[in-house]
Amino acid sequence: MKIKVLVSILALIAILTATGCENDNGASQMPELEESFSSTGGESMSCQVSVYVGEDKLLHMYDPKQGDSIILCNKADCSHEPYDEQRNPDPTCEAALNKELFSSCVPVLSNNYLYLFGVENMSQGVVYRENLDGSGRTRMYSMDYQLGMGSSVYVKNNVAYAEANIPIVNEDNLGGAGTNSSYSLMLQINLETGETKELSPIRKEKFQGVSLLEIKGNQLYYVLSYRKLQGEEKDYSKTSQFCSVYGYDIKSGKQTKLFLEEDLTGLTPVGMTGSSLCVCNEKTGEAFEISLKDKSKKSIYLPPNKDVIYFVFNNQWIVGDMSKEQFSCLKDNELEVLPDIVSFSKTFGNYVEYYLKDGTCQVIYGTLLSDKPIVVLEKK
């Protein structure tokens, strides 16, 4: 068994020297591991290899070509014991998470390394780096920011664009890591040096949130949202949401506020096409596309009831009917049912993550309705 694991890891590393994703005709779609995406479930995906934190609290590596995963440890005769504060505070297994990574680990793939974002203390985050065979884990740097298990991260050319938080630590040492006391922001991180740049403004409002929306070429889109209390009573169940959408050119560094709060009153951003912002009406559930050019609004779909949820993947609308527990692709004003899919977690760029009826989590790259989807991650 140990020999099989070692051979599998070596084979996976060899994949990185080959071409990336292929379409149904065998043509290369992504040349090398210069791009990856970390989603909300503690995983980082690319076409060549994906890494995730398993329920056993160990790092696992998934091989898209073989359709199989292994524990990310190449030590011979390793028992793969995870971290435990009492029983195993200093694990020797290369796949085990240490004290700073155990409670909240966000894996991020870039070039030939795996970066692991954790929590150093209440006010700071920490970043480790290791080789893709699990060896050589090294503490790189600490940050005045933290990434949580729900953070999405997009990586291009060794620069990460992450949903991050600035922890708030009060004088009595309350707040900080593990609480909701934080300011959300979009953060740019040079993975090699640890240099950071705050992309989004920090409003210091309660219930502020930030989320990656889409990547189109060099244009990165994200949503900044916050809620305001209505009336003088401090009833946090009675709040109104306000959103704004930003575009950031990752090549030039230029940022533009594309949609103001007043442009999106009563609307929730759900995705992007090449020319429009995709939104839904919070009260009626109606779906619209708002032109990036002139902000004209076009109705896309009016559901029979407002109990719907939307995603947009590769310019295609996905409609979830919660009353039927059914998801469909919207094509030519008709719904094409996606069999066996019971929920979607995230769509971003060429990646889409969803769950099947048997509980399997899959992430595919490319086309959702393809007869031969490129599965870059599968967790059962």
Side-chain angles (χ1 to χ4, degrees):
M1 176 65 181
K2 306 302 181 186
I3 294 177
K4 180 180 178 182
V5 169
L6 178 57
V7 171
S8 298
I9 288 179
L10 293 175
L12 281 171
I13 303 306
I15 292 172
L16 297 177
T17 63
T19 56
C21 295
E22 295 183 350
N23 59 24
D24 294 339
N25 298 320
S28 177
Q29 290 183 331
M30 194 169 72
E32 57 186 26
L33 188 53
E34 61 179 16
E35 178 197 62
S36 69
F37 177 60
S38 298
S39 189
T40 57
E43 63 259 348
S44 183
M45 291 82 66
S46 75
C47 291
Q48 294 89 339
V49 64
S50 297
V51 174
Y52 65 93
V53 179
E55 293 183 1
D56 53 9
K57 302 300 286 188
L58 297 173
L59 291 170
H60 294 249
M61 179 176 278
Y62 182 84
D63 178 358
K65 291 187 179 295
Q66 300 298 323
D68 197 10
S69 62
I70 55 172
I71 294 175
L72 189 52
C73 174
N74 66 3
K75 281 189 174 182
D77 301 319
C78 183
S79 58
H80 304 311
E81 290 293 325
Y83 167 86
D84 184 276
E85 185 177 9
Q86 301 297 327
R87 298 189 302 272
N88 192 24
D90 189 21
T92 58
C93 175
E94 293 176 333
L97 305 173
N98 62 22
K99 181 179 180 180
E100 295 174 322
L101 298 171
F102 186 78
S103 62
S104 180
C105 177
V106 179
V108 173
L109 288 161
S110 182
N111 293 339
N112 291 326
Y113 293 107
L114 173 65
Y115 292 82
L116 303 171
F117 285 76
V119 174
E120 185 169 60
N121 52 48
M122 283 199 301
S123 61
Q124 289 187 305
V126 64
V127 180
Y128 286 82
R129 188 179 75 179
E130 62 184 52
N131 299 316
L132 287 180
D133 62 358
S135 67
R137 184 180 296 177
T138 304
R139 187 186 185 281
M140 294 291 287
Y141 43 81
S142 59
M143 304 188 304
D144 293 328
Y145 309 93
Q146 294 177 348
L147 277 62
M149 285 293 287
S151 298
S152 294
V153 184
Y154 175 70
V155 177
K156 183 74 171 180
N157 295 328
N158 215 38
V159 177
Y161 304 89
E163 300 169 358
N165 297 294
I166 300 176
I168 302 170
V169 181
N170 302 321
E171 292 182 1
D172 53 4
N173 285 328
L174 296 176
T179 76
N180 291 324
S181 298
S182 61
Y183 301 130
S184 300
L185 77 159
M186 187 60 59
L187 187 68
Q188 177 179 300
I189 309 165
N190 184 308
L191 293 173
E192 178 65 31
T193 66
E195 181 182 0
T196 59
K197 178 182 178 182
E198 297 180 0
L199 299 183
S200 61
I202 301 172
R203 299 184 57 94
K204 296 188 177 181
E205 300 270 3
K206 283 186 177 294
F207 311 114
Q208 178 179 296
V210 65
S211 60
L212 284 168
L213 186 62
E214 186 59 277
I215 181 76
K216 295 284 187 183
N218 289 319
Q219 284 293 319
L220 181 79
Y221 300 96
Y222 67 89
V223 179
L224 184 65
S225 62
Y226 64 96
R227 289 187 173 274
K228 280 188 176 181
L229 288 170
Q230 298 301 300
E232 298 181 358
E233 296 182 4
K234 292 185 177 180
D235 184 354
Y236 291 108
S237 65
K238 297 178 181 179
T239 61
S240 295
Q241 178 172 278
F242 298 85
C243 297
S244 53
V245 175
Y246 290 78
Y248 180 75
D249 191 309
I250 62 177
K251 190 173 182 179
S252 68
K254 181 181 178 181
Q255 178 162 260
T256 306
K257 191 173 184 178
L258 300 172
F259 292 92
L260 308 176
E261 287 85 349
E262 50 265 35
D263 297 327
L264 301 175
T265 301
L267 302 173
T268 300
V270 296
M272 302 285 299
T273 68
S275 59
S276 303
L277 172 68
C278 302
V279 300
C280 72
N281 186 290
E282 296 173 0
K283 294 182 178 180
T284 66
E286 186 172 5
F288 297 91
E289 290 184 4
I290 306 177
S291 171
L292 291 172
K293 184 178 180 179
D294 59 13
K295 295 186 179 180
S296 59
K297 189 167 66 173
K298 175 185 177 183
S299 177
I300 298 299
Y301 177 70
L302 180 60
N305 62 73
K306 63 179 182 180
D307 192 15
V308 293
I309 186 171
Y310 296 102
F311 294 88
V312 179
F313 177 55
N314 274 342
N315 301 324
Q316 188 169 59
W317 282 82
I318 299 169
V319 182
D321 187 327
M322 297 296 93
S323 63
K324 296 181 180 178
E325 297 183 348
Q326 178 177 283
F327 283 83
S328 306
C329 279
L330 184 63
K331 297 181 64 178
D332 301 323
N333 297 320
E334 297 290 336
L335 295 180
E336 183 174 339
V337 175
L338 297 167
D340 299 327
I341 295 179
V342 295
S343 68
F344 280 80
S345 300
K346 187 75 174 181
T347 63
F348 188 79
N350 288 310
Y351 300 92
V352 55
E353 180 180 34
Y354 55 82
Y355 283 83
L356 302 176
K357 289 180 179 179
D358 63 2
T360 298
C361 172
Q362 282 188 340
V363 179
I364 67 170
Y365 179 98
T367 305
L368 188 60
L369 295 175
S370 171
D371 292 333
K372 297 179 181 179
I374 302 170
V375 180
V376 299
L377 177 65
E378 184 171 270
K379 297 188 296 182
K380 297 183 178 180

